[in-house]
Amino acid sequence: MDAKKQLIMESAKKSFSLFGYKGTTMDQIAKIAGVGKATIYTFFANKEELLHDIIQSLITEMKTVAEKAITEGATPFEKIHGALYEILVFRKEHELLIQLSHEVQQFGSPVTIEAMASIETEVVQFISEHIERAIHNGTMKNCEPKMTAFILFKLYVALVFDWEKQNEPLTDERILKLLQIYFGNFIND
């Protein structure tokens, strides 16, 4: 990737993280990057396109984190658990994703809603592909992979984000045990 384009994306990430998508202007991004506003427009048609490219790069990072969390010899659910847990920890700790989540809740702007939805879509697709492989390998019972991935993702969001709003946060191990209790019948012996 072009160094200037990368600099602009990093500067935009910083501005979006600090001020939100709605509160960020192209002038701010140019100032942070130390380039003229016209330079930004040589790479990106508008702020929406810039956010889209940043989200795509974050999705790639999330998939890398998820792949690293999948250990050989683990059961299908241990693999799915490792991937989902690391994806959600990444999402929970990444300043831009935190800011975008807040902005979706506060303003519900179509651009930020679409950005967060694209992340969810990619995560569900990633998990669905792992479920399909487990079904094909005979280590998981037949099910609807995409729907199962969606349910698992939503369950993880609830356990990682929502549960701790009123309760003690759950450990990685406790979440895996819950997953095995609720979905263990999908694993072939």
Side-chain angles (χ1 to χ4, degrees), residues 141-157:
K141 291 180 182 173
N142 196 21
C143 63
E144 291 185 41
K146 187 174 182 180
M147 184 180 296
T148 303
F150 175 81
I151 291 167
L152 287 169
F153 177 72
K154 291 299 187 177
L155 175 63
Y156 268 77
V157 168

